[in-house]
Each structure stands twice: as structure tokens, then as C-alpha cells.
Amino acid sequence: RGSIEPALEVDEETGSGEIEVGTDGGRTEATDDEPVKVGYGWVAVSAGDSLKHASPLVEKGHKGALPWHKSNNAAEVVAITDCLERQPRGVHIRAHIDSMYVITGIKKQPGNMRRVVRSSCRAEWGRLRKAVKGRVGTFEARHVRSHPLDMEGEDLGWEVLDGPQKLNNVADTLAEMGKEGGATPEFDFPIGELDHALFDHGKRVDGDPKKFMQRRMRGQWKTARAEKVKEGDLLKIIRT
């Protein structure tokens, strides 16, 4: 997977220290001229770094491409997971993430909200949980607003952005660059789906395959019933 230079405040022998990271993932849908592109990126710096210029951060950051069937949410999860997997186990990490999907899936939520979020992209969430569980240092995830605008609706300049926004800006650039990697299709099978996976029109179905099939069958039944009503073959609709 390659490597990056360790953050300046990380002790290479003990693997301790504190770093700030920015992560991002994205997906561009297919057009007449371009195929689907999915990529992710992240950058790690020493805590308290001044972040004067963007170019050095882009050069030391990491980027990658994902197969075309991966969703934007999957790319967001892979970005933070890949970052965690590459850091020393003892380093303390504060991650700045613009995806509320990822934030919701990481932090405790009322009811079963977090479980519902994690029910999609299960392979990616399983990999992230494993990466977090194996850490000795602390891991904190914070939400950052991406692409902040000024009063006139224009993007804020680099000098105006705060630290987390700068890291997110760089991660977004890296994710866009990562999309050009052209990854070939690979299918990750989460626990419980080692033998079987469900595909619909060439795309792998995330979440519960049984529930997906139930929704699909209900949809087909409603369509067929509507056609019969239109043709006058059905005199009364019984609501269920």
C-alpha cells in the first residue's frame, strides 16, 4: 500500500505522540465519456502544525482508488480506516471528517441509529472497527464543515481556513486525485456473507439481502397491480 513519512511528533521507537488527520472520500457517477470513479484520501500532520501551505501536505498525503461498485459512503469509511491502519498503535489521533455518515457510525447514538448506519457498507465498517480496536493510543473523530463559503458564496481562501478545514481541503484534493487510480472491481465480504453475495443490475447490495428482496418483490407487486387497474381487470384494490 505504500507509506508516508511519520508525523514529526511521533516517537518512532515507542509509537507514541499526537497527530491530526483529515480524511475524505468521493464518488463521481458515470457520464457519456467517463466511467464511475471512486477515490479516497487522507493526510496526517503533527498536532499544532501551522499548515502554512497546501502543496507540501498534498505531497505527503495518501490517496487511493476503489472499485466502481463502491459508494461514496464506503469511500469515506475507507479513508479513515486506511489512515488508522498506517499509524503506530500508540499514537493519539484526532481525525477531522466532513462526512456525518461516518461520524454517526463512529460515535454512540440514541436508539439503534449507529447500528442502522453500519448496516450498509458492512465490510468497510468491519475493517474500521478492527482498526480502532487494535489501537493503544486514543482516537477522536470530529466533524468539520467542508467547502466553507464567504458572505458572497465564494470558497474561502487557504489563509482564512482553520486547521481542520485545511486538512479536509487537502484530503478532498487527494480523494479527487485518487479517483484516477482506476481500481479494478474487488468484492469485500463481511462476516456472515463469506459464501454468498447479492447483486442487482451489476451492483453489490449492501445491507440485509433478505430485506432488499422483500422490498424488490413488493415493488414489483405494486407495479403489476397498478397495470391491472389501468387495464380495467381489477375492480377493487385491497390495501395491505
Side-chain angles (χ1 to χ4, degrees):
R1 295 178 177 174
S3 62
I4 66 170
E5 297 179 0
L8 298 179
E9 299 301 323
V10 175
D11 188 308
E12 295 187 34
E13 294 185 2
T14 64
S16 62
E18 182 177 351
I19 63 174
E20 305 260 350
V21 304
T23 70
D24 197 21
R27 172 187 171 98
T28 302
E29 297 300 331
T31 64
D32 293 337
D33 301 320
E34 296 288 341
V36 173
K37 295 181 180 180
V38 188
Y40 66 93
W42 58 268
V43 61
V45 299
S46 303
D49 195 310
S50 62
L51 309 179
K52 294 181 179 179
H53 304 287
S55 298
L57 297 176
V58 173
E59 292 178 1
K60 71 178 295 188
H62 182 87
K63 59 184 180 295
L66 293 177
W68 58 266
H69 68 282
K70 293 296 184 180
S71 65
N72 181 85
N73 287 337
E76 295 278 8
V77 178
V78 169
I80 181 60
T81 303
D82 190 68
C83 177
L84 291 177
E85 290 176 341
R86 294 171 183 268
Q87 306 305 321
R89 294 176 64 246
V91 70
H92 302 289
I93 299 176
R94 181 180 295 113
H96 303 285
I97 304 169
D98 66 2
S99 169
M100 281 305 302
Y101 169 83
V102 176
I103 296 295
T104 303
I106 290 177
K107 296 187 175 182
K108 291 183 178 180
Q109 305 293 335
N112 64 346
M113 185 181 301
R114 184 167 65 172
R115 181 171 62 83
V116 171
V117 168
R118 290 179 175 180
S119 67
S120 65
C121 307
R122 288 188 290 174
E124 287 75 21
W125 280 111
R127 181 181 162 193
L128 176 55
R129 290 197 298 271
K130 183 178 179 181
V132 173
K133 186 176 180 180
R135 300 204 57 77
V136 176
T138 58
F139 167 58
E140 178 185 3
R142 294 184 176 183
H143 181 254
V144 58
R145 186 165 63 94
S146 62
H147 308 295
L149 306 176
D150 59 20
M151 297 297 293
E152 297 180 356
E154 300 292 334
D155 289 334
L156 293 179
W158 179 264
E159 298 77 9
V160 183
L161 299 177
D162 60 24
Q165 291 170 337
K166 288 181 178 180
L167 291 175
N168 177 254
N169 182 282
V170 172
D172 179 74
T173 298
L174 290 166
E176 289 298 317
M177 296 169 63
K179 292 178 183 179
E180 303 302 324
T184 56
E186 296 177 1
F187 300 102
D188 298 321
F189 294 88
I191 296 174
E193 290 185 1
L194 296 179
D195 297 321
H196 305 282
L198 179 64
F199 291 81
D200 178 55
H201 291 84
K203 295 184 178 181
R204 182 167 179 265
V205 175
D206 291 321
D208 190 335
K210 182 178 179 181
K211 291 182 178 179
F212 174 84
M213 291 302 299
Q214 290 174 340
R215 291 194 299 269
R216 172 55 64 85
M217 294 303 295
R218 285 199 298 268
Q220 291 179 347
W221 181 76
K222 289 180 179 178
T223 300
R225 186 177 64 176
E227 291 176 352
K228 288 185 177 181
V229 173
K230 185 176 181 181
E231 295 297 329
D233 296 334
L234 190 64
L235 300 178
K236 183 179 181 180
I237 298 178
I238 301 176
R239 296 185 179 278
T240 58

